[in-house]
Amino acid sequence: MTTQFLTAPTLPPWLEAELPFNRHVFSDAGHTIHFIDKGEGPAILLLHGNPTWCYLWRKVIRILAKEKVRIIAPDLVGLGLSDKPRDPAIHTLDFHAERISALVKTLDLHDLTLAAQDWGGPIGAVMAARNPDRIRGAVFGNTSIRVPSHPPRVTPFHRFSRTPVISDLAFRHLNLLVRNLHRAQGDRASIGATERRAYLYPFLKIADRTAPLALARLVPTDLASPTFRTLQEANDWARAFRGPVRLVWGLRDPILGRTIHGMKKLFPDADVTETEAGHFLQEEVPEELAAAILAVVASTGSR
């Protein structure tokens, strides 16, 4: 299939004011990806996770945009303003890594600084493993790309996501995951009325709510999971990578706060910034994230 760029969808005025950036739509392999493309200079790729979209990075983008850098912030397929397939089986780590790889290759990004959170971490790291010559450095926040040696700890949230019928009702029909993002925050006021409205905007239709549940169920519950087989690529890349890496963490994250220990083992020489933020640390500590990203961009050292 041919690759092409399309006009980004129009946003309502209240949301346009929140995202006053150049936006485009990338079409490839039968799927579309909505993304922000702002500025000129060394490229920075910002990857979000479940169930957010590029809106999550807006505060960080405003800070980065003051510097001579190029900021690329896509919406993962199934989320934000990107294509929303209705088949949950399409949501695999390999699928999402390939879609982001296609975007990176089409935009011909080199000397790339990857900044990723939640599912953006594994997706970005697998992409990096498949495009190692394009990656300059990385910043990870509240994510996990390490393949464990023991069966993973399954959180109550992810256990619930696999409960038949009830999880479908909660995730798709009631949209409870998106409505309760503030509960994962260190400061619950960091996701107020405007933010909740913005995160709900891509999911106004029940038929568009496949990805949040599918991605929650994609989290591995045992070592035989196909997700871990793909994640091994990311794990191996991380151990071999010699570019600058920084970790910025929200320690009050009830989902991934503890994974900082595994990430420190994976990147033992990384500069680490620990904060009292929660899961969506972009909403609470954008200055710390932006500072870490710009430090990686400016760095000429190696790990």
Side-chain angles (χ1 to χ4, degrees), residues 5 19 55 79-80 89 94 98 119 131 143 160 171 174 180 182 186 189 210 214 246 248 252 267-268:
F5 290 93
L19 287 177
Y55 174 87
L79 300 172
D94 180 77
E98 280 301 296
W119 267 113
N131 300 274
T143 188
F160 173 77
F171 277 74
L174 301 179
N180 287 280
H182 62 287
T210 298
R246 291 187 175 232
V248 181
R252 296 179 66 184
F267 298 107

Side-chain angles (χ1 to χ4, degrees), residues 3 5 24 26 35-37 43-45 70-74 100-110 112 134:
T3 297
F5 290 93
H24 308 278
F26 166 67
F35 67 99
I36 290 169
D37 189 346
I44 300 167
L45 179 66
R70 182 182 181 186
I71 307 153
I72 310 294
I100 297 300
S101 290
L103 178 63
V104 167
K105 291 176 182 177
T106 300
L107 294 176
D108 197 24
L109 303 179
H110 292 274
L112 181 62
R134 295 179 182 269

Side-chain angles (χ1 to χ4, degrees), residues 134-155:
R134 295 179 182 269
I135 310 302
R136 173 188 182 82
V139 175
F140 293 105
N142 291 63
T143 188
S144 180
I145 62 173
R146 181 169 173 257
V147 175
S149 56
H150 302 287
R153 181 179 66 90
V154 182
T155 67

Side-chain angles (χ1 to χ4, degrees), residues 11-23 34 36 53-63 190-199 201 283:
L11 296 174
W14 67 270
L15 190 50
E16 185 71 42
E18 293 281 299
L19 287 177
F21 312 118
N22 296 327
R23 298 182 297 108
H34 168 263
I36 290 169
W53 56 302
C54 65
Y55 174 87
L56 177 66
W57 287 101
R58 71 199 181 285
K59 296 178 183 179
V60 177
I61 293 173
R62 289 175 191 148
I63 299 170
S190 64
I191 297 182
T194 299
E195 289 80 14
R196 283 195 293 272
R197 188 181 181 191
Y199 289 122
Y201 180 78
E283 294 285 5

